[in-house]
Amino acid sequence: MDPSPLRIDVHNELPLGRGLGSSAAAIVAGLTLSSLICDRELLPETVLRYALELEGHADNVAAAYYGGWVVSCVKPDGNVLAVKRPWPEDLKVIVISPDALLKTEETRRALPGTVERADAVHNLQRVALFGAALEAGAYHLIWDAMQDRMHQAHRQSLVPGLAEALATKPQPGLVGIALSGSGPSVIALALDHLPEIGEVIANNFRSHGMRATVRLLEVDREGWKATVAK
């Protein structure tokens, strides 16, 4: 039986190809829509399993589904384990996106085929430190916790000005800076002086003749939601 014709109008505020998880958000939205159309409720573990198969990794789809700060991993059987953790109210997010489109395949090709043990240990230590610093309110530790040795150095040459943006020095209000996803957007965590911080980082791209957009964001704490119009 052929499905009935369907028209979908999409209003999307997520820029594509900027390292902000637009594909994960689209996948979660698509799975949610299909469950509503078919009048079939999907359990969270089912949604995440399907989303993982489509996205290829669980971190972005789990965050898009639950909202907030989500830690996830994939079990050997392919199921996703995810835990939503509280994000502090006073810690804000700045995203600076240069006017450059990067495909995930391209950014992955920039990575080496092997990882040095010292670099793996470095990053594992900082993942643990990041979570502990947030939960303890020890924001002075976040700068060190966001220092990467596994992917940023290999990707920062893909866009003019990105290396300089990632090398932004500590300044009032700024507590940490990193590449957002695989890039080219840069994410900064800050307590105050948000507009000034955003402009300082964006000017690294603009000095190379590349436009950049600064977004001052709140952390979504709700995750997916659907409203059925009667």
Side-chain angles (χ1 to χ4, degrees):
M1 185 172 107
D2 293 332
S4 301
L6 179 67
R7 173 180 172 176
I8 300 176
D9 292 325
V10 178
H11 302 278
N12 179 28
E13 296 182 5
L14 282 173
L16 305 181
R18 299 298 196 275
L20 298 178
S22 60
S23 61
I27 289 169
V28 171
L31 290 170
T32 301
L33 180 60
S34 66
S35 69
L36 292 172
I37 292 174
C38 298
D39 194 22
R40 180 179 178 184
E41 183 178 357
L42 296 178
L43 296 174
E45 52 265 31
T46 303
V47 174
L48 293 180
R49 177 66 183 259
Y50 290 164
L52 169 65
E53 294 177 3
L54 292 168
E55 175 76 346
H57 53 89
D59 48 2
N60 288 349
V61 293
Y65 184 79
Y66 287 113
W69 174 31
V70 178
V71 180
S72 65
C73 70
V74 181
K75 297 174 62 177
D77 62 5
N79 288 316
V80 178
L81 300 178
V83 177
K84 183 174 180 176
R85 304 170 74 178
W87 184 266
E89 294 280 354
D90 55 346
L91 193 57
K92 307 302 182 182
V93 178
I94 311 166
V95 171
I96 303 91
S97 301
D99 191 15
L101 179 66
L102 288 182
K103 295 183 178 180
T104 302
E105 296 81 4
E106 179 183 359
T107 59
R108 286 179 179 169
R109 284 197 300 267
L111 300 179
T114 59
V115 174
E116 294 292 334
R117 179 187 301 172
D119 294 338
V121 171
H122 172 99
N123 273 37
L124 285 171
Q125 289 175 333
R126 278 146 185 81
V127 168
L129 178 63
F130 184 86
L134 251 64
E135 291 182 346
Y139 297 152
H140 64 286
L141 300 177
I142 292 179
W143 188 274
D144 288 307
M146 293 179 69
Q147 300 304 305
D148 167 82
R149 279 171 45 178
M150 291 182 65
H151 79 115
Q152 290 187 171
H154 305 289
R155 289 168 163 163
Q156 64 183 9
S157 61
L158 296 176
V159 174
L162 182 54
E164 295 94 324
L166 292 172
T168 299
K169 301 297 182 183
Q171 55 188 282
L174 178 63
V175 299
I177 188 170
L179 193 63
S180 178
S182 59
S185 294
V186 172
I187 182 171
L189 303 183
L191 297 172
D192 48 41
H193 296 87
L194 275 66
E196 296 89 343
I197 292 170
E199 290 302 311
V200 166
I201 299 172
N203 285 337
N204 290 287
F205 298 108
R206 294 166 182 162
S207 66
H208 289 267
M210 179 169 293
R211 292 181 298 177
T213 301
V214 177
R215 295 178 174 87
L216 310 181
L217 305 176
E218 297 286 342
V219 173
D220 170 55
R221 302 174 189 277
E222 187 175 4
W224 76 275
K225 62 179 179 180
T227 302
V228 180
K230 300 298 184 179

